Amino acid sequence: MSRLLITNARLVDPVAGTEQPGALLIQHGRIAALGPRLGQDGSIEAERLDAQGAVLAPGLVDLRVQLGEPGAEHKESFATGALAAVAGGVTSFACLPGTLPPIDDPSMVEFVARRARRARLAKVYPYAAITKGLKGEQLAEFGLLREAGAIGFTDGHQAVASARIMRRALSYGRLIDAFLVQHPEEPDLARNGVANPGPIAARLGLTSVPREAEVIMIERDLRLARATGGRIHFSRVTTAETLDAIRRAKAEGVRVTCDCTPHHLALNELEVEGYRTFAKVSPPLRAEADRLAVEAAVIDGTIDAIASDHRPQDQDSKRLPFASAEFGVVGLETLLPVALRLFHDGRIGLPALMSRLATTPARLLGIDAGTLAVGAPADLILFDPNRPWKVTERDLHSASKNTAFEGRLMMGRVETTLVDGRVVFRRDQTSSGSED
């Protein structure tokens, strides 16, 4: 049936800033109507889905996901990554270009788009590299990559170290209003660093990544953005000083946005005690004062979006001495419940939180998502914000299990995910998605 009526729901609309009981009608994959009394008179002929009081909200839009395909499919393929996404309520995500080979030419952009369509689950949008081969030496062909379908440009886990190259990227990007994403870490200062500087790193004998590595890179690029009029997005900001710089730049009218990750929002440097490699991330988990600053910036809107920074690693990559282990954690399936901690603490309302998770990321990427507006694609999630559950590797759908939250208790879990009005995931059922 091409019509589906979701009844008995708690409608959370981040665009309108509203939260109310009601129903929502889907027709031909798009939202046809919604409201508190919709369908109560029995006049709508449609298949019905009883939400049983669950929150009905736009599907999450994730700005930062690393897949392993091509080159490291054993860590995450398009199929496993897309399944993990819909299990976590992510209906659209942008994938980073750090594959083998990297996504730096139109044929690779088209390959990613083609492979993602075959999974028939979450919508996947490829970033292209800012520089050819992610080497930081020569700009990629922005115009051709955009025409091939690149949603934005980034060198992924590597910073564009050259101020000259970044200035050119901002200038050229301004001409096509490109979404330019920088990993804000000055490479020389960060070289070989694996932990936050301080007593814990010193006692464990771990080399550190100074907070200044982030601040210096961001202040440099803010100056370049101000000079060129280009648009810059900083991914994974972690320090109070950095956030103050971004806050001031926004007030001046600089075209800057930023995101944070769930792990930097919820965890601090204490997690690396015992050389716990599943807490080895880039940038490193910071001190508690910086974590609190990240929380405050999500609430006051300085941080525009929360991104999973999903970076799957297999056991061989993580079961190593701390200094040798790979960076990164999986995050698609814990993005929502970790963010919900701010709601449960009474620090932010659901509409505002969903805006950081869906509406604003969609706007930054320029895609039609993140809203309950009539006529919008029916990319939706149903979730119970009060459902308790425990994170276990066994229950994760990702091919890799390197979660930083193993064994943690969470509140809130996605029950059903719809993409274009099609149910692609139900917590108690097998996903309907499959390879062609």
Side-chain angles (χ1 to χ4, degrees):
M1 182 177 290
S2 61
R3 285 158 62 96
L4 175 66
L5 182 65
I6 303 175
T7 61
N8 192 23
R10 181 176 162 192
L11 303 171
V12 172
D13 186 343
V15 176
T18 58
E19 182 178 348
Q20 62 180 341
L24 183 146
L25 178 66
I26 299 168
Q27 183 168 339
H28 303 308
R30 291 185 173 269
I31 297 170
L34 73 163
R37 298 184 181 80
L38 183 70
Q40 290 184 354
D41 60 2
S43 61
I44 296 178
E45 293 185 6
E47 182 181 353
R48 292 182 176 245
L49 173 61
D50 185 352
Q52 300 181 330
V55 169
L56 177 58
L60 310 188
V61 178
D62 195 342
L63 290 175
R64 191 175 181 89
V65 172
Q66 181 67 66
L67 297 176
E69 188 175 356
E73 290 85 349
H74 61 291
K75 294 184 177 181
E76 198 78 284
S77 66
F78 285 104
T80 59
L83 180 55
V86 295
V90 176
T91 53
S92 299
F93 67 81
C95 63
L96 297 170
T99 51
L100 295 173
I103 305 172
D104 65 352
D105 67 52
S107 65
M108 277 299 296
V109 173
E110 291 165 356
F111 168 80
V112 170
R114 190 167 57 250
R115 290 288 295 127
R117 281 195 296 272
R118 291 179 60 188
R120 301 184 64 241
L121 292 168
K123 297 173 181 175
V124 182
Y125 299 91
Y127 285 113
I130 292 176
T131 63
K132 292 183 178 178
L134 305 174
K135 295 179 179 177
E137 298 170 352
Q138 187 178 359
L139 277 188
E141 298 286 351
F142 284 11
L144 293 176
L145 290 163
R146 167 71 72 81
E147 286 181 15
I151 197 75
F153 301 89
T154 179
D155 275 1
H157 305 291
Q158 298 162 222
V160 177
S162 163
R164 178 178 57 83
I165 294 291
M166 180 52 84
R167 183 185 174 95
R168 289 182 58 202
L170 286 163
S171 297
Y172 188 34
R174 184 171 64 86
L175 300 176
I176 59 172
D177 195 28
F179 182 51
L180 222 63
V181 180
Q182 169 73 304
H183 169 50
E185 195 170 76
E186 207 292 319
D188 280 343
L189 283 175
R191 194 180 310 280
N192 300 324
V194 295
N196 190 53
I200 296 173
R203 178 162 45 80
L204 296 176
L206 300 176
T207 53
S208 61
V209 180
R211 300 164 77 251
E212 290 77 14
E214 182 173 303
V215 178
I216 288 172
M217 183 60 80
I218 283 183
E219 289 188 337
R220 183 202 77 175
D221 286 352
L222 286 174
R223 285 178 176 270
L224 294 175
R226 188 182 292 113
T228 60
R231 176 184 173 202
I232 185 80
H233 179 89
F234 297 113
S235 188
R236 304 176 296 176
V237 292
T238 65
T239 74
E241 193 173 353
T242 291
L243 290 162
D244 285 343
I246 292 173
R247 200 174 277 119
R248 287 194 300 272
K250 285 187 170 188
E252 294 170 15
V254 178
R255 300 177 71 198
V256 56
T257 51
C258 65
D259 67 58
C260 72
T261 74
H263 35 283
H264 291 105
L265 190 59
L267 306 175
N268 64 27
E269 60 184 340
L270 292 173
E271 297 293 324
V272 304
E273 288 279 13
Y275 301 98
R276 187 167 172 260
T277 58
F278 279 26
K280 182 179 177 181
V281 293
S282 175
L285 297 173
R286 298 295 185 183
E288 180 65 4
D290 283 319
R291 189 194 70 78
L292 292 173
V294 170
E295 271 193 357
V298 169
I299 293 164
D300 73 18
T302 301
I303 290 179
D304 303 87
I306 307 171
S308 73
D309 194 25
H310 182 81
R311 191 174 181 181
Q313 302 288 0
D314 61 6
Q315 292 203 6
D316 289 344
S317 302
K318 281 291 192 182
R319 305 289 186 195
L320 293 169
F322 196 91
S324 303
E326 294 284 355
F327 290 99
V329 296
V330 291
L332 282 164
E333 293 172 77
T334 48
L335 171 60
L336 178 63
V338 174
L340 279 171
R341 291 181 174 196
L342 292 177
F343 164 71
H344 289 303
D345 289 345
R347 309 277 305 280
I348 193 169
L350 272 181
L353 184 62
M354 295 309 297
S355 176
R356 312 288 191 275
L357 291 164
T359 310
T360 304
R363 177 176 57 78
L364 293 173
L365 293 173
I367 62 174
D368 191 8
T371 176
L372 293 186
V374 172
D379 298 344
L380 304 166
I381 54 172
L382 283 165
F383 68 94
D384 177 357
N386 298 312
R387 177 173 172 173
W389 63 288
K390 185 176 183 179
V391 179
T392 64
E393 293 181 0
R394 181 194 60 210
D395 292 336
L396 296 178
H397 295 77
S398 174
S400 295
K401 310 298 182 184
N402 53 309
T403 173
F405 297 101
E406 169 68 16
R408 305 291 179 99
L409 296 177
M410 300 281 174
M411 287 279 282
R413 199 171 200 188
V414 170
E415 305 296 336
T416 302
T417 303
L418 300 94
V419 173
D420 289 331
R422 182 171 52 95
V423 175
V424 293
F425 180 83
R426 281 187 177 171
R427 179 65 52 192
D428 55 351
Q429 295 182 13
T430 302
S431 167
S432 62
S434 62
E435 292 269 342
D436 282 338

